[in-house]
Amino acid sequence: MKKRFRKKFGVKEFYRPWFAVSAEIMEMADGDQADFVSRFIAAAEALDMTCNGAIGETELEVMLDTGRLCTANAERRQQFLDEIGKWEEIKKIDATELQ
């Protein structure tokens, strides 16, 4: 397979590990929820991860891309989970292993 197609489809050296996070969160006022979403995104970006998903009033379903292979993906995943696990807005959190 040509390099161009490997990159386009995320194959071999262009594969980007990811994991999913689902959580139960406290119900918040609009301003507080906007602050929560901003902090969540900032925590992911601080570890060079990108996130995609939905954050509702009482639930969160997000997929996080940890970057290119062999870039401390598992360590960054654990750092992220440790950080957001301390937040008082999150009641319960479940995360998958790296895929």
Side-chain angles (χ1 to χ4, degrees), residues 81-92:
L81 292 175
D82 290 343
E83 182 178 338
I84 67 168
K86 297 175 188 174
W87 295 356
E88 63 184 30
E89 295 92 349
I90 297 180
K91 295 179 183 177
K92 178 184 169 190

Side-chain angles (χ1 to χ4, degrees), residues 5-84:
F5 289 119
R6 288 195 316 269
K7 187 172 184 178
K8 181 177 181 178
F9 296 113
V11 178
K12 294 188 181 181
E13 72 268 28
F14 297 105
Y15 177 72
R16 299 176 68 89
W18 61 275
F19 67 99
V21 173
S22 59
E24 185 179 323
I25 58 176
M26 294 176 14
E27 198 166 325
M28 298 173 253
D30 289 340
D32 294 336
Q33 186 167 16
D35 179 54
F36 174 78
V37 171
S38 296
R39 285 189 302 136
F40 189 89
I41 293 169
E45 288 177 346
L47 294 169
D48 294 325
M49 296 191 291
T50 58
C51 56
N52 186 11
I55 300 176
E57 291 182 17
T58 59
E59 71 280 336
L60 172 138
E61 293 285 334
V62 178
M63 188 270 313
L64 291 121
D65 179 337
T66 61
R68 306 249 337 239
L69 282 172
C70 302
T71 57
N73 304 91
E75 292 84 3
R76 286 188 288 136
R77 173 192 172 274
Q78 192 58 49
Q79 272 184 300
F80 179 77
L81 292 175
D82 290 343
E83 182 178 338
I84 67 168

